[in-house]
Amino acid sequence: MTLEVPPGYRAHDAQSLRFYLADIPAVAGKLGGAAADWAIEEVGDGNLNLVFKVRGPDGGVAVKQALPYLRLVGEAWPLPLERAHFEHMALSREGRYAPGLTPEIYHYDETLALIAMELLEPHIIMRHGMIAGTVYPKFAGDLSTFAANTLFFTSDLALKAAEKKELIAAFAGNTELCRITEELIFTEPYMVAERNRWTAPYLDPFAAAIREDGDLKVAISRLKVKFMGSAEAMIHGDLHTGSVMLTEEDTRVIDPEFAFMGPMGFDTGAVIANLLLNYFSQVGHEEAPGARDEYRRWVLSATRDFWNGFREKFLRLWEENGTGDAYPAPLFASPEGKLRLAAEREAYMARLFADTLGFAAAKMIRRILGLAHNIDLEHIADERVRATAEARGLTLARDMMVNTEAYPSIEAVTAQAERLNAWEPKLGG
Ligand code: SR1
Ligand code: MG
Protein backbone atom coordinates (compact mmCIF):
# COMPACT_ATOMS: atom_id res chain seq x y z
CA MET A 1 0.00 0.00 0.00
CA THR A 2 1.35 3.46 -0.90
CA LEU A 3 0.27 6.32 1.31
CA GLU A 4 -1.22 9.34 -0.38
CA VAL A 5 0.77 12.52 0.11
CA PRO A 6 0.04 16.10 -1.00
CA PRO A 7 1.41 17.22 -4.40
CA GLY A 8 5.04 18.32 -4.09
CA TYR A 9 5.84 16.19 -1.03
CA ARG A 10 8.58 13.59 -1.11
CA ALA A 11 10.46 12.01 1.75
CA HIS A 12 14.09 12.99 1.28
CA ASP A 13 17.12 10.76 1.32
CA ALA A 14 20.66 12.10 1.72
CA GLN A 15 21.15 12.63 -2.00
CA SER A 16 17.86 14.40 -2.77
CA LEU A 17 18.29 16.53 0.34
CA ARG A 18 21.68 17.70 -0.93
CA PHE A 19 20.12 19.03 -4.16
CA TYR A 20 17.22 20.57 -2.27
CA LEU A 21 19.38 22.41 0.27
CA ALA A 22 21.78 23.68 -2.39
CA ASP A 23 18.91 25.91 -3.60
CA ILE A 24 18.14 27.34 -0.14
CA PRO A 25 20.51 30.29 0.38
CA ALA A 26 19.80 30.52 4.13
CA VAL A 27 21.02 26.94 4.52
CA ALA A 28 23.69 26.71 1.82
CA GLY A 29 25.29 29.86 3.27
CA LYS A 30 25.57 28.25 6.71
CA LEU A 31 27.16 25.10 5.30
CA GLY A 32 29.56 26.80 2.86
CA GLY A 33 31.60 25.11 0.13
CA ALA A 34 30.11 23.00 -2.65
CA ALA A 35 26.97 20.93 -2.08
CA ALA A 36 28.78 17.86 -3.43
CA ASP A 37 31.16 18.03 -0.48
CA TRP A 38 28.57 18.21 2.29
CA ALA A 39 28.42 15.22 4.61
CA ILE A 40 24.80 14.13 5.17
CA GLU A 41 23.59 11.39 7.50
CA GLU A 42 20.12 10.38 8.63
CA VAL A 43 20.20 10.05 12.41
CA GLY A 44 16.54 10.02 13.50
CA ASP A 45 16.05 7.74 16.48
CA GLY A 46 12.68 9.14 17.60
CA ASN A 47 9.28 7.61 17.02
CA LEU A 48 8.00 9.85 14.24
CA ASN A 49 10.31 11.59 11.74
CA LEU A 50 13.38 11.72 9.55
CA VAL A 51 16.27 13.72 11.00
CA PHE A 52 19.40 14.56 8.97
CA LYS A 53 22.69 16.06 10.09
CA VAL A 54 24.29 18.05 7.31
CA ARG A 55 27.86 19.33 7.63
CA GLY A 56 29.80 21.64 5.34
CA PRO A 57 33.14 23.41 5.63
CA ASP A 58 31.59 26.45 7.36
CA GLY A 59 29.05 24.82 9.68
CA GLY A 60 26.23 22.37 10.20
CA VAL A 61 22.47 22.23 9.86
CA ALA A 62 19.87 19.82 11.24
CA VAL A 63 16.95 18.95 8.97
CA LYS A 64 13.79 17.41 10.34
CA GLN A 65 11.16 16.10 7.94
CA ALA A 66 7.81 14.60 8.85
CA LEU A 67 6.91 11.26 7.28
CA PRO A 68 3.29 10.59 6.32
CA TYR A 69 3.24 7.75 8.83
CA LEU A 70 4.54 6.95 12.31
CA ARG A 71 8.14 5.82 12.00
CA LEU A 72 7.90 3.61 15.09
CA VAL A 73 5.13 1.48 13.55
CA GLY A 74 5.41 2.07 9.79
CA GLU A 75 2.90 2.82 7.03
CA ALA A 76 0.17 0.96 8.89
CA TRP A 77 -0.14 4.05 11.11
CA PRO A 78 -0.65 7.09 8.82
CA LEU A 79 0.04 10.46 10.41
CA PRO A 80 -0.67 13.91 8.95
CA LEU A 81 2.26 15.90 7.63
CA GLU A 82 0.65 19.05 9.08
CA ARG A 83 2.37 18.25 12.35
CA ALA A 84 5.42 20.04 10.92
CA HIS A 85 3.26 23.17 10.60
CA PHE A 86 2.35 23.00 14.30
CA GLU A 87 5.93 22.23 15.25
CA HIS A 88 7.21 25.21 13.28
CA MET A 89 4.61 27.51 14.82
CA ALA A 90 5.40 26.30 18.35
CA LEU A 91 9.17 26.40 17.86
CA SER A 92 8.96 29.99 16.60
CA ARG A 93 6.91 31.11 19.59
CA GLU A 94 9.02 29.20 22.10
CA GLY A 95 12.11 30.89 20.65
CA ARG A 96 10.47 34.26 21.21
CA TYR A 97 9.45 33.61 24.81
CA ALA A 98 12.48 31.56 25.85
CA PRO A 99 15.37 33.01 23.82
CA GLY A 100 18.47 30.84 23.65
CA LEU A 101 16.64 27.73 24.82
CA THR A 102 15.51 26.41 21.41
CA PRO A 103 17.38 25.78 18.15
CA GLU A 104 17.43 28.66 15.68
CA ILE A 105 15.23 28.04 12.63
CA TYR A 106 16.90 28.63 9.25
CA HIS A 107 14.21 27.49 6.83
CA TYR A 108 10.70 26.01 6.79
CA ASP A 109 8.97 24.28 3.85
CA GLU A 110 5.29 23.65 4.47
CA THR A 111 4.85 21.37 1.42
CA LEU A 112 7.77 19.15 2.35
CA ALA A 113 6.88 19.31 6.07
CA LEU A 114 10.54 20.13 6.60
CA ILE A 115 12.36 22.38 9.06
CA ALA A 116 16.07 23.22 8.71
CA MET A 117 17.55 24.44 11.95
CA GLU A 118 20.68 24.96 13.98
CA LEU A 119 22.74 21.79 14.35
CA LEU A 120 23.24 21.41 18.07
CA GLU A 121 26.78 20.20 18.66
CA PRO A 122 28.29 18.88 20.86
CA HIS A 123 24.86 18.58 22.52
CA ILE A 124 23.37 15.16 23.12
CA ILE A 125 19.86 13.98 23.91
CA MET A 126 19.50 14.36 27.67
CA ARG A 127 18.13 10.85 28.14
CA HIS A 128 21.39 9.38 26.83
CA GLY A 129 23.45 11.60 29.11
CA MET A 130 21.40 10.61 32.16
CA ILE A 131 21.77 6.93 31.38
CA ALA A 132 25.54 7.49 31.31
CA GLY A 133 25.32 9.32 34.65
CA THR A 134 26.17 12.84 33.45
CA VAL A 135 25.29 15.76 35.70
CA TYR A 136 23.80 18.81 33.95
CA PRO A 137 24.22 21.78 36.30
CA LYS A 138 22.20 24.18 34.13
CA PHE A 139 19.29 21.88 33.31
CA ALA A 140 16.86 22.69 36.14
CA GLY A 141 17.38 26.45 35.80
CA ASP A 142 17.03 26.42 32.02
CA LEU A 143 14.04 24.08 31.85
CA SER A 144 12.20 25.96 34.58
CA THR A 145 12.76 29.19 32.63
CA PHE A 146 11.59 27.53 29.41
CA ALA A 147 8.42 26.16 31.01
CA ALA A 148 7.60 29.30 33.01
CA ASN A 149 8.09 31.65 30.02
CA THR A 150 6.37 29.60 27.32
CA LEU A 151 3.40 28.71 29.53
CA PHE A 152 2.93 32.09 31.19
CA PHE A 153 3.18 34.21 28.02
CA THR A 154 0.63 32.09 26.12
CA SER A 155 -1.89 32.01 28.96
CA ASP A 156 -4.85 34.21 29.92
CA LEU A 157 -2.62 35.72 32.59
CA ALA A 158 -0.52 37.44 29.89
CA LEU A 159 -2.69 37.54 26.75
CA LYS A 160 -5.84 39.47 25.93
CA ALA A 161 -8.83 37.21 25.43
CA ALA A 162 -8.91 37.71 21.64
CA GLU A 163 -5.19 36.91 21.24
CA LYS A 164 -5.59 33.80 23.34
CA LYS A 165 -8.52 32.63 21.23
CA GLU A 166 -6.50 33.19 18.06
CA LEU A 167 -3.85 30.92 19.49
CA ILE A 168 -6.44 28.28 20.34
CA ALA A 169 -7.69 28.44 16.75
CA ALA A 170 -4.15 28.26 15.33
CA PHE A 171 -3.38 25.00 17.16
CA ALA A 172 -6.85 23.45 17.03
CA GLY A 173 -5.98 21.32 14.01
CA ASN A 174 -3.25 19.28 15.71
CA THR A 175 -5.88 16.68 16.45
CA GLU A 176 -4.04 13.54 15.34
CA LEU A 177 -1.08 14.15 17.62
CA CYS A 178 -3.43 14.94 20.48
CA ARG A 179 -5.23 11.69 19.68
CA ILE A 180 -1.96 9.77 20.09
CA THR A 181 -1.63 11.25 23.57
CA GLU A 182 -5.29 10.68 24.40
CA GLU A 183 -5.07 7.02 23.46
CA LEU A 184 -1.54 6.04 24.45
CA ILE A 185 -1.32 7.99 27.71
CA PHE A 186 -4.85 8.43 29.03
CA THR A 187 -6.60 5.26 27.89
CA GLU A 188 -4.72 2.14 26.81
CA PRO A 189 -2.45 1.47 29.82
CA TYR A 190 -5.62 1.09 31.96
CA MET A 191 -7.27 -1.60 29.81
CA VAL A 192 -6.42 -4.62 27.71
CA ALA A 193 -5.06 -3.10 24.48
CA GLU A 194 -3.11 -4.65 21.64
CA ARG A 195 -0.43 -1.95 21.68
CA ASN A 196 0.38 -2.29 25.39
CA ARG A 197 3.59 -4.03 26.42
CA TRP A 198 5.47 -4.48 29.66
CA THR A 199 8.25 -6.53 31.22
CA ALA A 200 6.37 -9.84 31.43
CA PRO A 201 5.98 -11.98 33.42
CA TYR A 202 7.56 -9.94 36.22
CA LEU A 203 5.20 -6.99 35.89
CA ASP A 204 2.06 -9.04 35.12
CA PRO A 205 0.55 -8.56 38.62
CA PHE A 206 1.22 -4.79 38.49
CA ALA A 207 -0.33 -4.42 35.03
CA ALA A 208 -3.36 -6.45 36.14
CA ALA A 209 -3.77 -4.40 39.33
CA ILE A 210 -3.81 -1.19 37.29
CA ARG A 211 -6.48 -2.60 34.97
CA GLU A 212 -8.61 -3.42 38.04
CA ASP A 213 -8.07 -0.13 39.85
CA GLY A 214 -11.32 1.85 39.86
CA ASP A 215 -9.89 4.85 41.72
CA LEU A 216 -7.06 5.08 39.21
CA LYS A 217 -9.44 4.88 36.25
CA VAL A 218 -11.46 7.79 37.65
CA ALA A 219 -8.25 9.77 38.28
CA ILE A 220 -6.83 9.17 34.78
CA SER A 221 -10.20 10.07 33.24
CA ARG A 222 -10.25 13.38 35.12
CA LEU A 223 -6.78 14.09 33.78
CA LYS A 224 -7.88 13.11 30.27
CA VAL A 225 -10.82 15.49 30.30
CA LYS A 226 -8.49 18.23 31.51
CA PHE A 227 -6.05 17.46 28.69
CA MET A 228 -8.86 17.55 26.14
CA GLY A 229 -10.69 20.62 27.40
CA SER A 230 -8.39 22.96 29.32
CA ALA A 231 -6.80 25.32 26.81
CA GLU A 232 -4.68 27.06 29.45
CA ALA A 233 -1.53 27.77 27.44
CA MET A 234 0.54 26.68 24.44
CA ILE A 235 2.13 23.50 25.70
CA HIS A 236 5.08 21.71 24.13
CA GLY A 237 3.10 18.51 24.50
CA ASP A 238 6.03 16.06 24.66
CA LEU A 239 8.48 17.64 27.09
CA HIS A 240 10.46 14.56 28.07
CA THR A 241 14.22 14.17 28.35
CA GLY A 242 14.32 12.98 24.71
CA SER A 243 13.11 16.47 23.73
CA VAL A 244 16.05 18.17 25.43
CA MET A 245 19.51 18.44 23.84
CA LEU A 246 22.23 19.80 26.03
CA THR A 247 25.78 20.07 27.22
CA GLU A 248 26.87 20.94 30.72
CA GLU A 249 26.75 24.61 29.67
CA ASP A 250 23.85 24.88 27.22
CA THR A 251 20.27 23.56 27.13
CA ARG A 252 17.86 23.47 24.17
CA VAL A 253 14.32 22.19 23.89
CA ILE A 254 13.45 20.54 20.57
CA ASP A 255 10.55 18.70 18.91
CA PRO A 256 7.33 20.54 19.85
CA GLU A 257 5.21 18.75 17.22
CA PHE A 258 2.63 17.74 19.85
CA ALA A 259 2.08 21.41 20.73
CA PHE A 260 -1.44 22.71 21.23
CA MET A 261 -3.37 24.85 23.70
CA GLY A 262 -3.66 22.53 26.67
CA PRO A 263 -3.14 22.26 30.42
CA MET A 264 0.15 23.66 31.70
CA GLY A 265 0.65 20.76 34.11
CA PHE A 266 1.07 18.40 31.17
CA ASP A 267 4.45 20.00 30.36
CA THR A 268 5.70 20.43 33.92
CA GLY A 269 4.51 16.90 34.70
CA ALA A 270 6.39 15.48 31.72
CA VAL A 271 9.69 16.88 33.00
CA ILE A 272 9.17 15.49 36.49
CA ALA A 273 7.99 12.08 35.22
CA ASN A 274 11.08 11.60 33.10
CA LEU A 275 13.44 12.59 35.89
CA LEU A 276 11.73 10.18 38.28
CA LEU A 277 11.80 7.34 35.76
CA ASN A 278 15.49 7.92 35.24
CA TYR A 279 16.01 7.95 39.02
CA PHE A 280 14.41 4.52 39.37
CA SER A 281 16.31 3.21 36.32
CA GLN A 282 19.73 3.89 37.87
CA VAL A 283 19.73 0.47 39.55
CA GLY A 284 20.10 -0.98 36.06
CA HIS A 285 22.96 1.31 35.02
CA GLU A 286 25.29 1.36 38.02
CA GLU A 287 28.48 -0.67 37.87
CA ALA A 288 28.07 -1.86 41.48
CA PRO A 289 25.28 -1.42 44.04
CA GLY A 290 25.33 2.17 45.28
CA ALA A 291 27.81 3.37 42.66
CA ARG A 292 25.25 5.81 41.28
CA ASP A 293 24.02 7.10 44.67
CA GLU A 294 25.53 10.52 44.13
CA TYR A 295 23.94 10.67 40.70
CA ARG A 296 20.60 9.63 42.17
CA ARG A 297 20.86 12.54 44.59
CA TRP A 298 21.51 14.90 41.70
CA VAL A 299 18.50 13.62 39.76
CA LEU A 300 16.21 14.25 42.73
CA SER A 301 17.73 17.64 43.43
CA ALA A 302 17.20 18.57 39.75
CA THR A 303 13.56 17.44 40.10
CA ARG A 304 13.08 19.73 43.12
CA ASP A 305 14.99 22.61 41.55
CA PHE A 306 12.95 22.34 38.35
CA TRP A 307 9.59 22.63 40.10
CA ASN A 308 10.65 25.19 42.71
CA GLY A 309 12.37 27.27 40.03
CA PHE A 310 9.35 27.06 37.75
CA ARG A 311 7.01 28.11 40.55
CA GLU A 312 9.13 31.08 41.53
CA LYS A 313 9.67 32.26 37.93
CA PHE A 314 6.02 31.83 36.96
CA LEU A 315 4.88 33.84 39.99
CA ARG A 316 7.39 36.58 39.22
CA LEU A 317 6.20 36.78 35.61
CA TRP A 318 2.64 37.05 36.84
CA GLU A 319 3.50 39.88 39.27
CA GLU A 320 5.47 41.79 36.64
CA ASN A 321 3.61 41.00 33.40
CA GLY A 322 0.03 40.17 34.39
CA THR A 323 -1.39 41.99 31.34
CA GLY A 324 -3.98 39.38 30.40
CA ASP A 325 -7.74 39.56 30.76
CA ALA A 326 -7.79 37.04 33.63
CA TYR A 327 -7.76 38.44 37.20
CA PRO A 328 -8.66 42.00 36.08
CA ALA A 329 -6.52 44.57 37.93
CA PRO A 330 -9.47 46.82 38.98
CA LEU A 331 -10.90 43.93 40.99
CA PHE A 332 -7.76 43.74 43.12
CA ALA A 333 -6.67 47.40 43.32
CA SER A 334 -7.39 48.01 47.02
CA PRO A 335 -4.90 47.02 49.75
CA GLU A 336 -7.19 44.13 50.69
CA GLY A 337 -7.56 43.21 47.03
CA LYS A 338 -3.78 43.01 46.66
CA LEU A 339 -3.61 40.59 49.57
CA ARG A 340 -6.41 38.50 48.08
CA LEU A 341 -4.64 38.36 44.74
CA ALA A 342 -1.36 37.31 46.37
CA ALA A 343 -3.18 34.49 48.17
CA GLU A 344 -4.98 33.50 44.98
CA ARG A 345 -1.68 33.28 43.11
CA GLU A 346 -0.48 30.79 45.71
CA ALA A 347 -3.72 28.82 45.36
CA TYR A 348 -3.32 28.86 41.56
CA MET A 349 0.18 27.39 41.88
CA ALA A 350 -1.08 24.73 44.30
CA ARG A 351 -3.70 23.66 41.72
CA LEU A 352 -1.06 23.66 39.00
CA PHE A 353 1.19 21.52 41.20
CA ALA A 354 -1.60 18.98 41.73
CA ASP A 355 -2.17 18.86 37.94
CA THR A 356 1.58 18.48 37.43
CA LEU A 357 1.72 15.44 39.71
CA GLY A 358 -1.30 13.83 38.07
CA PHE A 359 0.11 14.28 34.58
CA ALA A 360 3.57 13.18 35.72
CA ALA A 361 2.02 9.99 37.07
CA ALA A 362 0.16 9.39 33.80
CA LYS A 363 3.40 9.78 31.88
CA MET A 364 5.24 7.35 34.12
CA ILE A 365 2.56 4.69 33.81
CA ARG A 366 2.38 4.96 30.01
CA ARG A 367 6.16 4.48 29.66
CA ILE A 368 5.98 1.25 31.64
CA LEU A 369 2.73 -0.33 30.43
CA GLY A 370 1.88 1.38 27.12
CA LEU A 371 3.26 1.27 23.58
CA ALA A 372 6.17 3.73 23.75
CA HIS A 373 8.77 3.09 26.44
CA ASN A 374 11.85 5.01 27.65
CA ILE A 375 15.33 3.74 26.93
CA ASP A 376 16.23 4.65 30.55
CA LEU A 377 14.32 1.49 31.48
CA GLU A 378 14.38 -0.40 28.15
CA HIS A 379 18.16 -0.50 28.08
CA ILE A 380 18.33 -2.45 31.33
CA ALA A 381 19.16 -5.90 29.99
CA ASP A 382 18.39 -7.85 33.18
CA GLU A 383 14.59 -8.05 33.03
CA ARG A 384 14.16 -8.72 36.74
CA VAL A 385 16.19 -5.61 37.59
CA ARG A 386 14.25 -3.62 35.00
CA ALA A 387 10.91 -4.84 36.38
CA THR A 388 12.00 -3.92 39.91
CA ALA A 389 12.69 -0.35 38.79
CA GLU A 390 9.42 -0.26 36.86
CA ALA A 391 7.37 -1.61 39.79
CA ARG A 392 8.80 1.15 41.98
CA GLY A 393 7.91 3.77 39.37
CA LEU A 394 4.40 2.39 38.91
CA THR A 395 3.80 2.35 42.66
CA LEU A 396 4.88 5.97 43.08
CA ALA A 397 2.86 7.03 40.03
CA ARG A 398 -0.31 5.31 41.23
CA ASP A 399 -0.03 7.06 44.59
CA MET A 400 0.73 10.47 43.04
CA MET A 401 -2.33 10.18 40.82
CA VAL A 402 -4.83 8.86 43.37
CA ASN A 403 -3.50 10.38 46.63
CA THR A 404 -2.31 13.66 45.16
CA GLU A 405 -3.13 15.60 48.33
CA ALA A 406 -0.51 13.53 50.20
CA TYR A 407 2.11 15.37 48.13
CA PRO A 408 1.84 19.06 49.02
CA SER A 409 5.38 19.79 47.83
CA ILE A 410 7.94 18.43 45.40
CA GLU A 411 10.06 17.51 48.44
CA ALA A 412 7.28 15.10 49.49
CA VAL A 413 7.50 13.46 46.05
CA THR A 414 11.27 13.01 46.04
CA ALA A 415 11.21 11.70 49.63
CA GLN A 416 8.68 9.06 48.63
CA ALA A 417 10.76 8.17 45.56
CA GLU A 418 13.74 7.55 47.85
CA ARG A 419 11.68 5.30 50.13
CA LEU A 420 10.34 3.31 47.20
CA ASN A 421 13.79 2.92 45.69
CA ALA A 422 14.73 0.85 48.75
CA TRP A 423 11.59 -1.32 48.49
CA GLU A 424 11.77 -4.84 47.03
CA PRO A 425 8.55 -5.38 45.09
CA LYS A 426 6.99 -8.83 44.82
CA LEU A 427 7.29 -9.56 41.11
CA GLY A 428 5.34 -12.06 39.04
CA GLY A 429 6.74 -15.05 37.18
C1 SR1 B 1 3.34 6.56 18.82
S1 SR1 B 1 4.32 7.89 19.17
C2 SR1 B 1 4.79 7.54 20.77
C3 SR1 B 1 5.27 8.66 21.55
O1 SR1 B 1 6.40 9.26 20.95
C4 SR1 B 1 6.38 10.64 21.17
O2 SR1 B 1 7.57 11.09 21.69
C5 SR1 B 1 5.19 10.90 22.10
O3 SR1 B 1 5.56 10.83 23.45
C6 SR1 B 1 4.30 9.80 21.73
O4 SR1 B 1 3.30 9.52 22.69
MG1 MG C 1 9.73 13.87 19.69
Side-chain angles (χ1 to χ4, degrees):
M1 181 186 80
T2 313
L3 285 177
E4 273 198 31
V5 291
Y9 175 86
R10 64 162 293 184
H12 274 299
D13 55 30
Q15 201 49 19
S16 64
L17 186 64
R18 185 186 307 280
F19 290 119
Y20 172 76
L21 295 179
D23 283 339
I24 312 290
V27 174
K30 293 269 172 212
L31 295 165
D37 299 329
W38 297 341
I40 306 185
E41 46 174 346
E42 204 279 316
V43 295
D45 67 349
N47 294 330
L48 274 75
N49 307 293
L50 293 172
V51 180
F52 297 89
K53 283 184 176 180
V54 187
R55 291 187 186 85
D58 294 350
V61 170
V63 177
K64 179 172 178 181
Q65 186 179 29
L67 289 164
Y69 54 85
L70 189 88
R71 186 174 184 161
L72 174 73
V73 171
E75 296 199 3
W77 189 333
L79 210 56
L81 296 168
E82 287 75 31
R83 64 188 190 274
H85 165 77
F86 298 108
E87 172 160 3
H88 176 250
M89 206 159 45
L91 201 52
S92 308
R93 267 189 188 260
E94 289 169 352
R96 210 180 314 152
Y97 298 131
L101 294 175
T102 56
E104 191 186 336
I105 301 173
Y106 299 147
H107 169 71
Y108 171 57
D109 187 322
E110 182 106 15
T111 308
L112 286 177
L114 177 152
I115 306 173
M117 62 193 115
E118 185 180 358
L119 180 63
L120 298 171
E121 284 186 324
H123 302 59
I124 62 167
I125 295 283
M126 183 174 191
R127 207 185 280 301
H128 295 282
M130 291 188 78
I131 292 170
T134 308
V135 166
Y136 293 105
K138 292 198 68 203
F139 165 76
D142 286 343
L143 249 278
S144 55
T145 299
F146 175 86
N149 289 14
T150 57
L151 297 177
F152 176 81
F153 284 114
T154 57
S155 77
D156 288 302
L157 303 173
L159 295 178
K160 298 293 177 204
E163 291 173 310
K164 169 84 178 322
K165 284 172 178 58
E166 272 170 30
L167 214 43
I168 292 175
F171 281 98
N174 206 6
T175 50
E176 278 308 299
L177 270 70
C178 287
R179 190 160 72 88
I180 289 177
T181 302
E182 286 147 14
E183 292 178 357
L184 295 188
I185 298 184
F186 294 106
T187 309
E188 294 185 0
Y190 305 86
M191 57 186 268
V192 174
E194 216 178 301
R195 296 188 289 209
N196 285 343
R197 57 197 184 85
W198 58 82
T199 309
Y202 302 116
L203 276 191
D204 288 355
F206 289 86
I210 280 184
R211 291 196 302 271
E212 301 297 306
D213 192 330
D215 289 341
L216 195 61
K217 289 182 190 178
V218 168
I220 192 65
S221 300
R222 285 184 186 162
L223 289 162
K224 182 173 184 179
V225 81
K226 194 166 273 183
F227 178 82
M228 295 169 78
S230 296
E232 292 175 350
M234 184 191 78
I235 64 171
H236 176 285
D238 202 22
L239 195 50
H240 52 68
T241 47
S243 296
V244 177
M245 291 190 74
L246 76 184
T247 64
E248 287 167 28
E249 291 87 32
D250 190 61
T251 313
R252 309 293 185 97
V253 177
I254 61 169
D255 272 7
E257 64 209 310
F258 283 79
F260 80 114
M261 296 297 282
M264 301 186 197
F266 192 75
D267 272 3
T268 46
V271 176
I272 290 171
N274 281 269
L275 295 176
L276 291 173
L277 286 178
N278 180 274
Y279 170 77
F280 287 119
S281 80
Q282 290 298 329
V283 65
H285 304 302
E286 61 191 353
E287 299 67 32
R292 290 279 183 101
D293 280 354
E294 201 178 325
Y295 195 67
R296 287 184 175 92
R297 281 191 285 279
W298 176 76
V299 176
L300 293 188
S301 72
T303 308
R304 290 188 292 269
D305 291 349
F306 166 72
W307 172 260
N308 290 328
F310 168 79
R311 186 184 178 287
E312 196 182 300
K313 289 167 188 174
F314 192 96
L315 278 171
R316 197 177 324 130
L317 287 172
W318 192 350
E319 279 162 26
E320 292 171 3
N321 304 277
T323 52
D325 279 339
Y327 295 97
L331 267 52
F332 300 99
S334 69
E336 199 229 326
K338 287 191 170 59
L339 290 175
R340 295 298 292 261
L341 184 57
E344 172 53 16
R345 284 182 178 137
E346 291 296 328
Y348 183 103
M349 296 313 288
R351 291 194 294 273
L352 180 48
F353 184 59
D355 286 358
T356 295
L357 295 191
F359 287 122
K363 294 227 156 202
M364 292 167 76
I365 293 171
R366 66 80 60 111
R367 293 292 185 195
I368 298 171
L369 300 180
L371 168 73
H373 289 215
N374 279 2
I375 57 168
D376 310 50
L377 292 161
E378 290 288 275
H379 280 189
I380 301 176
D382 183 326
E383 294 193 349
R384 184 173 269 280
V385 173
R386 188 199 312 155
T388 298
E390 290 172 336
R392 291 169 179 161
L394 280 179
T395 303
L396 177 60
R398 194 265 171 200
D399 203 45
M400 280 162 57
M401 199 190 292
V402 172
N403 298 319
T404 312
E405 68 290 347
Y407 299 93
S409 64
I410 192 69
E411 287 74 16
V413 175
T414 57
Q416 181 67 349
E418 280 184 295
R419 281 190 283 276
L420 281 168
N421 201 46
W423 167 66
E424 286 307 326
K426 192 168 162 12
L427 300 174

